[in-house]
Amino acid sequence: MGLFRVQKIEPSIVQRFIYDLVEETALCSNTIKKIIDMLKVVFRKAVSLKLVNENPVLNVTLPKRNNLEMTAWDTEQVEYFIQQSKKHRFYTVYLIALLGEITGLKKERIVVVGHKLKHGQNFNDYDLVVCTRYGNPLDSATLSKRLKAQAIKLGLPTIRFHDLRHTLVTMLIKQNVNVKVISERVGHTSIQITLDKYSHVLPSMQKHVADELDNLFKIKEM
């Protein structure tokens, strides 16, 4: 939404933005409500300054969150998806989300430059690394829709775009990567957030530690 001029922001745009926050992020309802309240204040000021005629946030509603459990692919499913999706339109986007692959950014940038040359003046240059063929920002709903279609095609469990990050974190935890490193990589403000959010994965990590300690004592007894 931040890429639109303030005069161009309509209620439907704001509602879509809120919907994406609800469906595609892990933000709690109270946090999203605070975002809505903040937007109302900002646009109230814009109205008073005569930058806009009316406040587009006034009639925005907070959709009820579907209490979907986090879904993650296992390593074999990730490898299969990557191998079979190399020609997919959003392959690089999904690769970045799954693996944080920096080289993917370079490849996608080349694609964007190609679209810019092809569409000329019809290309909206917002200096985005990932965008539509005409330079407009991609929304998570579109990415989720395309990801679901690809998963069905490949016979994989259907997941949301945001679940790719859950998949990344789950894989890192199961590889016994330091939780502090994982927390920093995914942008959590504290390790506790990571621990709370992925507590369902941690028992396997605890078992690994117990097995390692057990092996250590066995070695000492010998």
Side-chain angles (χ1 to χ4, degrees):
M1 193 175 74
L3 294 175
F4 291 94
R5 292 183 179 277
V6 65
Q7 294 86 355
K8 298 293 184 179
I9 296 179
E10 301 175 349
S12 60
I13 294 174
V14 181
Q15 187 66 68
R16 167 55 65 179
F17 171 69
I18 299 302
Y19 176 82
D20 286 346
L21 291 181
V22 171
E23 292 297 323
E24 302 296 337
T25 75
L27 295 176
C28 67
S29 296
N30 286 337
T31 299
I32 298 176
K33 286 179 181 177
K34 289 179 181 178
I35 293 174
I36 294 175
D37 291 340
M38 179 183 67
L39 288 173
K40 285 180 180 178
V41 172
V42 169
F43 278 98
R44 189 182 303 133
K45 184 65 175 179
V47 171
S48 69
L49 294 175
K50 301 188 183 303
L51 296 176
V52 295
N53 294 324
E54 58 182 21
N55 191 332
V57 193
L58 290 180
N59 296 317
V60 167
T61 58
L62 179 59
K64 184 177 181 181
R65 184 188 295 273
N66 294 322
N67 293 319
L68 299 175
E69 293 184 3
M70 290 188 299
T71 307
W73 287 336
D74 59 31
T75 305
E76 290 184 359
Q77 290 169 331
V78 169
E79 289 178 352
Y80 180 68
F81 175 81
I82 290 174
Q83 288 299 321
Q84 298 298 318
S85 304
K86 290 183 178 180
K87 294 183 178 180
H88 192 278
R89 165 71 178 88
F90 298 125
Y91 169 75
T92 304
V93 182
Y94 298 141
L95 187 66
I96 294 169
L98 274 170
L99 306 177
E101 183 56 59
I102 300 302
T103 56
L105 290 173
K106 297 177 182 178
K107 293 178 183 177
E108 188 66 21
R109 193 58 183 165
I110 293 173
V111 172
V112 171
V113 171
H115 289 324
K116 185 175 181 180
L117 292 173
K118 180 179 179 180
H119 297 292
Q121 293 183 348
N122 292 324
F123 185 87
N124 299 311
D125 192 356
Y126 295 116
D127 197 30
L128 299 174
V129 175
V130 177
C131 59
T132 67
R133 289 182 173 84
Y134 290 92
N136 298 318
L138 284 168
D139 60 84
S140 56
T142 298
L143 292 172
S144 287
K145 183 178 179 180
R146 297 294 181 87
L147 177 62
K148 181 179 180 180
Q150 180 69 355
I152 292 174
K153 178 182 177 181
L154 298 177
L156 294 171
T158 56
I159 61 176
R160 301 165 300 167
F161 179 69
H162 191 68
D163 287 327
L164 294 179
R165 188 164 85 151
H166 300 323
T167 297
L168 169 62
V169 174
T170 300
M171 289 193 299
L172 292 176
I173 290 176
K174 289 184 175 180
Q175 290 297 316
N176 302 308
V177 175
N178 187 290
V179 178
K180 185 176 187 301
V181 174
I182 297 174
S183 181
E184 292 174 349
R185 188 179 183 90
V186 298
H188 290 163
T189 55
S190 71
I191 295 177
Q192 192 59 48
I193 293 176
T194 309
L195 293 173
D196 291 343
K197 194 173 183 63
Y198 296 94
S199 58
H200 63 290
V201 185
L202 294 174
S204 63
M205 194 174 180
Q206 295 285 3
K207 184 179 184 303
H208 174 79
V209 173
D211 290 341
E212 289 296 315
L213 287 172
D214 189 45
N215 292 333
L216 177 63
F217 284 114
K218 283 180 180 179
I219 293 173
K220 286 186 176 181
E221 288 175 0
M222 293 175 61

